[in-house]
Structures are given as structure tokens and as C-alpha cells.
Amino acid sequence: YMGQFNVTMPALKITYFPFPGRAEAARLALYIGGIDFEDERIGFEEFGKRKAAGELPFGSIPVISVDGKMVAQSQSIHRYCGKLSGLYPEDPFQALLVDEICDACEEVICMIVATMKPGSGDQTENRIKLMEGPLPAALKKIDARLEGKSNFAIGTTITTADLVIYSLKVLMSTNMAPPINISVMDGCDKLLTSAQAVTDHPKVMEWYEKHK
């Protein structure tokens, strides 16, 4: 159900911070699809300037520029990049299954990000509380929704759902202070298999070789 568009590709630019986060699924989708794009990575200071100047549609990043027109919202961005790359199902029901996983993963990302926000109390305490119950419970629910027909989340080929699962695992593995113990994914075999399938993808390995 994966198809390529026989059209001239637009000029694409993804703007985000210099780490994987919420932009990695879109970056990887384009790279796997062999689609040229500008990978603009900006620091917090530059982000603050652009936000203050009102240059960002919702005051946040990632954003993608498509032939100069800027569009925000990470879910919309990686879905669009998946469509361009043939990593998003053309079949409406298969697309619905992929979207369910992506949206559920975004909810988990929001849970994690909420523990870092200024004014949210003690970060260590918040992170421990999250790891003790809500986080593993949410991950198990997502794992239960994966089909398990192959190494991939939905169907038998890589989709944006796998890229988002991978991005979530990377987020939990990064040097956050305090860190999230990756053991919260224990028992989530289908999630771990999906993330590993992305890690082992030749184009993904090539991407990280270039971005060491």
C-alpha cells in the first residue's frame, strides 16, 4: 500500500533543535525516502528570537517550510514527510492504524516533557512518579495495539509509526537529568522490536553515520 508520488518534489526545510526530539521521525522519513531537504538545527537562543519575532506559527518547533511556506505541528509534519517518502499507508484504514500509534506515542512524549517544564515542581520527583506507574502503563497499552505481524508496528513494512516509536525510545534514552530508565519498556516486546527495526535500517544507520 506504499506508493510514490510522481511529482516534482518541493523545496523542503525542517527547522528544529540540534537533537532528535519531535523532528526525528520527519527527518528520517525524508532521508529513507531519498528526498532532499535542508536540515536546519537552531539553538535555544535563536529559537527564542524567532518566537519573539512572531516567525513561528504556534511559537514552537519543529516547523517545515514547503517551497517557502512554513507549517507547524510535529504530527502533521511527519505524516506529510511519510506521504512524500511512501512510508505512510495509502489505504485509509491502514493509515488510521498508523495514526493511532503515532498519536498515542505523542501523548507519552507530552507526559515526559511535562516533567521538565519550569514550575512543574521537582523534576527528579516528577520523573520517578512517572516511571513508577503512568509511563509503563501507557507504553504497555501502545504495545498491545501493535499488530506483531512482522518486525514493524503496522503491516509488514516500515511506516511513520515505527519512526515515531523509535523517536520515543531515543527520547527516553537521552541524557535527561534525571534520566528515564529504559526498563519502563520491559515487556513491551513489539515496541522494542519496532524501534530495533528502525535502528537496523540501512538508511537510518547511514543517517547517524553522517550526524555523529
Side-chain angles (χ1 to χ4, degrees), residues 107-117 127 130 135 168 171-172 176 180:
E107 285 181 1
V108 173
I109 290 168
C110 289
M111 288 165 69
I112 295 167
V113 171
T115 66
M116 308 175 192
K117 287 191 173 160
R127 204 68 56 75
L130 191 62
L135 188 53
L168 174 58
L171 174 68
M172 293 196 296
M176 286 190 282
I180 285 181

PDB file of all heavy atoms in Angstrom, residues 107-117 127 130 135 168 171-172 176 180:
ATOM      1  N   GLU A 107       1.224  11.377  23.030  1.00  0.00           N
ATOM      2  CA  GLU A 107       0.706  11.561  24.396  1.00  0.00           C
ATOM      3  C   GLU A 107       1.774  11.207  25.431  1.00  0.00           C
ATOM      4  O   GLU A 107       1.912  11.882  26.453  1.00  0.00           O
ATOM      5  CB  GLU A 107      -0.545  10.697  24.612  1.00  0.00           C
ATOM      6  CG  GLU A 107      -1.782  11.249  23.924  1.00  0.00           C
ATOM      7  CD  GLU A 107      -3.017  10.396  24.161  1.00  0.00           C
ATOM      8  OE1 GLU A 107      -2.927   9.371  24.888  1.00  0.00           O
ATOM      9  OE2 GLU A 107      -4.082  10.754  23.629  1.00  0.00           O
ATOM     10  N   VAL A 108       2.527  10.135  25.152  1.00  0.00           N
ATOM     11  CA  VAL A 108       3.596   9.723  26.069  1.00  0.00           C
ATOM     12  C   VAL A 108       4.713  10.775  26.083  1.00  0.00           C
ATOM     13  O   VAL A 108       5.241  11.128  27.146  1.00  0.00           O
ATOM     14  CB  VAL A 108       4.158   8.335  25.690  1.00  0.00           C
ATOM     15  CG1 VAL A 108       5.368   7.985  26.540  1.00  0.00           C
ATOM     16  CG2 VAL A 108       3.073   7.270  25.856  1.00  0.00           C
ATOM     17  N   ILE A 109       5.056  11.291  24.902  1.00  0.00           N
ATOM     18  CA  ILE A 109       6.083  12.344  24.824  1.00  0.00           C
ATOM     19  C   ILE A 109       5.641  13.551  25.656  1.00  0.00           C
ATOM     20  O   ILE A 109       6.438  14.132  26.403  1.00  0.00           O
ATOM     21  CB  ILE A 109       6.350  12.745  23.352  1.00  0.00           C
ATOM     22  CG1 ILE A 109       7.078  11.595  22.636  1.00  0.00           C
ATOM     23  CG2 ILE A 109       7.182  14.029  23.265  1.00  0.00           C
ATOM     24  CD1 ILE A 109       7.157  11.742  21.124  1.00  0.00           C
ATOM     25  N   CYS A 110       4.361  13.910  25.577  1.00  0.00           N
ATOM     26  CA  CYS A 110       3.829  15.037  26.353  1.00  0.00           C
ATOM     27  C   CYS A 110       3.946  14.777  27.857  1.00  0.00           C
ATOM     28  O   CYS A 110       4.242  15.694  28.629  1.00  0.00           O
ATOM     29  CB  CYS A 110       2.374  15.307  25.986  1.00  0.00           C
ATOM     30  SG  CYS A 110       2.171  16.018  24.338  1.00  0.00           S
ATOM     31  N   MET A 111       3.713  13.528  28.272  1.00  0.00           N
ATOM     32  CA  MET A 111       3.856  13.163  29.686  1.00  0.00           C
ATOM     33  C   MET A 111       5.296  13.410  30.161  1.00  0.00           C
ATOM     34  O   MET A 111       5.523  13.931  31.250  1.00  0.00           O
ATOM     35  CB  MET A 111       3.523  11.668  29.891  1.00  0.00           C
ATOM     36  CG  MET A 111       2.064  11.324  29.774  1.00  0.00           C
ATOM     37  SD  MET A 111       1.802   9.515  29.587  1.00  0.00           S
ATOM     38  CE  MET A 111       2.272   8.900  31.172  1.00  0.00           C
ATOM     39  N   ILE A 112       6.253  13.024  29.314  1.00  0.00           N
ATOM     40  CA  ILE A 112       7.667  13.169  29.677  1.00  0.00           C
ATOM     41  C   ILE A 112       8.063  14.646  29.696  1.00  0.00           C
ATOM     42  O   ILE A 112       8.684  15.127  30.650  1.00  0.00           O
ATOM     43  CB  ILE A 112       8.564  12.381  28.701  1.00  0.00           C
ATOM     44  CG1 ILE A 112       8.283  10.878  28.819  1.00  0.00           C
ATOM     45  CG2 ILE A 112      10.045  12.664  28.970  1.00  0.00           C
ATOM     46  CD1 ILE A 112       8.880  10.032  27.709  1.00  0.00           C
ATOM     47  N   VAL A 113       7.659  15.373  28.654  1.00  0.00           N
ATOM     48  CA  VAL A 113       8.017  16.790  28.544  1.00  0.00           C
ATOM     49  C   VAL A 113       7.421  17.593  29.707  1.00  0.00           C
ATOM     50  O   VAL A 113       8.037  18.539  30.208  1.00  0.00           O
ATOM     51  CB  VAL A 113       7.555  17.351  27.170  1.00  0.00           C
ATOM     52  CG1 VAL A 113       7.703  18.868  27.107  1.00  0.00           C
ATOM     53  CG2 VAL A 113       8.367  16.711  26.050  1.00  0.00           C
ATOM     54  N   ALA A 114       6.231  17.195  30.163  1.00  0.00           N
ATOM     55  CA  ALA A 114       5.577  17.905  31.270  1.00  0.00           C
ATOM     56  C   ALA A 114       6.413  17.887  32.549  1.00  0.00           C
ATOM     57  O   ALA A 114       6.326  18.797  33.372  1.00  0.00           O
ATOM     58  CB  ALA A 114       4.201  17.300  31.535  1.00  0.00           C
ATOM     59  N   THR A 115       7.256  16.850  32.695  1.00  0.00           N
ATOM     60  CA  THR A 115       8.079  16.766  33.909  1.00  0.00           C
ATOM     61  C   THR A 115       9.273  17.719  33.856  1.00  0.00           C
ATOM     62  O   THR A 115       9.975  17.885  34.847  1.00  0.00           O
ATOM     63  CB  THR A 115       8.620  15.330  34.130  1.00  0.00           C
ATOM     64  OG1 THR A 115       9.538  14.995  33.074  1.00  0.00           O
ATOM     65  CG2 THR A 115       7.509  14.316  34.189  1.00  0.00           C
ATOM     66  N   MET A 116       9.519  18.325  32.702  1.00  0.00           N
ATOM     67  CA  MET A 116      10.680  19.203  32.551  1.00  0.00           C
ATOM     68  C   MET A 116      10.314  20.680  32.624  1.00  0.00           C
ATOM     69  O   MET A 116      11.181  21.528  32.686  1.00  0.00           O
ATOM     70  CB  MET A 116      11.345  18.982  31.180  1.00  0.00           C
ATOM     71  CG  MET A 116      11.682  17.570  30.836  1.00  0.00           C
ATOM     72  SD  MET A 116      12.312  17.566  29.132  1.00  0.00           S
ATOM     73  CE  MET A 116      12.298  15.837  28.787  1.00  0.00           C
ATOM     74  N   LYS A 117       9.024  20.976  32.544  1.00  0.00           N
ATOM     75  CA  LYS A 117       8.629  22.371  32.413  1.00  0.00           C
ATOM     76  C   LYS A 117       8.905  23.154  33.689  1.00  0.00           C
ATOM     77  O   LYS A 117       8.691  22.643  34.792  1.00  0.00           O
ATOM     78  CB  LYS A 117       7.148  22.462  32.050  1.00  0.00           C
ATOM     79  CG  LYS A 117       6.902  22.042  30.607  1.00  0.00           C
ATOM     80  CD  LYS A 117       5.516  22.374  30.136  1.00  0.00           C
ATOM     81  CE  LYS A 117       5.407  22.084  28.650  1.00  0.00           C
ATOM     82  NZ  LYS A 117       4.055  21.921  28.201  1.00  0.00           N
ATOM     83  N   ARG A 127       9.732  12.785  37.600  1.00  0.00           N
ATOM     84  CA  ARG A 127      10.189  11.732  36.691  1.00  0.00           C
ATOM     85  C   ARG A 127      10.040  10.359  37.358  1.00  0.00           C
ATOM     86  O   ARG A 127       9.622   9.397  36.723  1.00  0.00           O
ATOM     87  CB  ARG A 127      11.652  12.001  36.330  1.00  0.00           C
ATOM     88  CG  ARG A 127      12.148  11.417  35.040  1.00  0.00           C
ATOM     89  CD  ARG A 127      11.547  12.013  33.798  1.00  0.00           C
ATOM     90  NE  ARG A 127      11.677  13.438  33.629  1.00  0.00           N
ATOM     91  CZ  ARG A 127      12.770  14.073  33.273  1.00  0.00           C
ATOM     92  NH1 ARG A 127      13.872  13.414  33.053  1.00  0.00           N
ATOM     93  NH2 ARG A 127      12.764  15.364  33.100  1.00  0.00           N
ATOM     94  N   LEU A 130       6.434   9.326  37.389  1.00  0.00           N
ATOM     95  CA  LEU A 130       6.041   8.930  36.035  1.00  0.00           C
ATOM     96  C   LEU A 130       6.489   7.505  35.740  1.00  0.00           C
ATOM     97  O   LEU A 130       5.734   6.699  35.197  1.00  0.00           O
ATOM     98  CB  LEU A 130       6.669   9.906  35.027  1.00  0.00           C
ATOM     99  CG  LEU A 130       6.188   9.850  33.584  1.00  0.00           C
ATOM    100  CD1 LEU A 130       4.701  10.190  33.498  1.00  0.00           C
ATOM    101  CD2 LEU A 130       6.990  10.814  32.725  1.00  0.00           C
ATOM    102  N   LEU A 135       3.873   5.924  33.066  1.00  0.00           N
ATOM    103  CA  LEU A 135       4.654   5.717  31.842  1.00  0.00           C
ATOM    104  C   LEU A 135       4.653   4.261  31.379  1.00  0.00           C
ATOM    105  O   LEU A 135       4.276   3.972  30.236  1.00  0.00           O
ATOM    106  CB  LEU A 135       6.080   6.248  32.037  1.00  0.00           C
ATOM    107  CG  LEU A 135       6.980   6.282  30.808  1.00  0.00           C
ATOM    108  CD1 LEU A 135       6.322   7.025  29.652  1.00  0.00           C
ATOM    109  CD2 LEU A 135       8.323   6.926  31.139  1.00  0.00           C
ATOM    110  N   LEU A 168      10.534   8.032  20.211  1.00  0.00           N
ATOM    111  CA  LEU A 168      10.148   7.999  21.632  1.00  0.00           C
ATOM    112  C   LEU A 168      11.200   7.257  22.450  1.00  0.00           C
ATOM    113  O   LEU A 168      11.605   7.704  23.523  1.00  0.00           O
ATOM    114  CB  LEU A 168       8.776   7.329  21.769  1.00  0.00           C
ATOM    115  CG  LEU A 168       8.264   7.074  23.194  1.00  0.00           C
ATOM    116  CD1 LEU A 168       8.180   8.367  23.994  1.00  0.00           C
ATOM    117  CD2 LEU A 168       6.908   6.390  23.161  1.00  0.00           C
ATOM    118  N   LEU A 171      14.192   9.437  22.816  1.00  0.00           N
ATOM    119  CA  LEU A 171      13.932  10.477  23.819  1.00  0.00           C
ATOM    120  C   LEU A 171      14.145   9.926  25.229  1.00  0.00           C
ATOM    121  O   LEU A 171      14.769  10.571  26.076  1.00  0.00           O
ATOM    122  CB  LEU A 171      12.497  10.999  23.678  1.00  0.00           C
ATOM    123  CG  LEU A 171      12.032  11.989  24.757  1.00  0.00           C
ATOM    124  CD1 LEU A 171      12.787  13.310  24.653  1.00  0.00           C
ATOM    125  CD2 LEU A 171      10.531  12.238  24.656  1.00  0.00           C
ATOM    126  N   MET A 172      13.659   8.705  25.460  1.00  0.00           N
ATOM    127  CA  MET A 172      13.797   8.121  26.801  1.00  0.00           C
ATOM    128  C   MET A 172      15.217   7.667  27.092  1.00  0.00           C
ATOM    129  O   MET A 172      15.583   7.444  28.237  1.00  0.00           O
ATOM    130  CB  MET A 172      12.813   6.951  26.953  1.00  0.00           C
ATOM    131  CG  MET A 172      11.381   7.406  26.936  1.00  0.00           C
ATOM    132  SD  MET A 172      10.220   6.166  27.555  1.00  0.00           S
ATOM    133  CE  MET A 172      10.398   4.883  26.347  1.00  0.00           C
ATOM    134  N   MET A 176      18.746  12.906  29.778  1.00  0.00           N
ATOM    135  CA  MET A 176      17.911  13.819  30.550  1.00  0.00           C
ATOM    136  C   MET A 176      18.358  13.731  32.003  1.00  0.00           C
ATOM    137  O   MET A 176      18.851  12.707  32.446  1.00  0.00           O
ATOM    138  CB  MET A 176      16.446  13.422  30.437  1.00  0.00           C
ATOM    139  CG  MET A 176      15.824  13.762  29.115  1.00  0.00           C
ATOM    140  SD  MET A 176      14.045  13.536  29.159  1.00  0.00           S
ATOM    141  CE  MET A 176      13.913  11.772  29.004  1.00  0.00           C
ATOM    142  N   ILE A 180      15.315   8.785  32.303  1.00  0.00           N
ATOM    143  CA  ILE A 180      14.226   7.802  32.390  1.00  0.00           C
ATOM    144  C   ILE A 180      14.866   6.446  32.173  1.00  0.00           C
ATOM    145  O   ILE A 180      15.587   6.244  31.204  1.00  0.00           O
ATOM    146  CB  ILE A 180      13.149   8.085  31.334  1.00  0.00           C
ATOM    147  CG1 ILE A 180      12.340   9.308  31.794  1.00  0.00           C
ATOM    148  CG2 ILE A 180      12.255   6.876  31.119  1.00  0.00           C
ATOM    149  CD1 ILE A 180      11.233   9.707  30.894  1.00  0.00           C
TER     150      ILE A 180
END
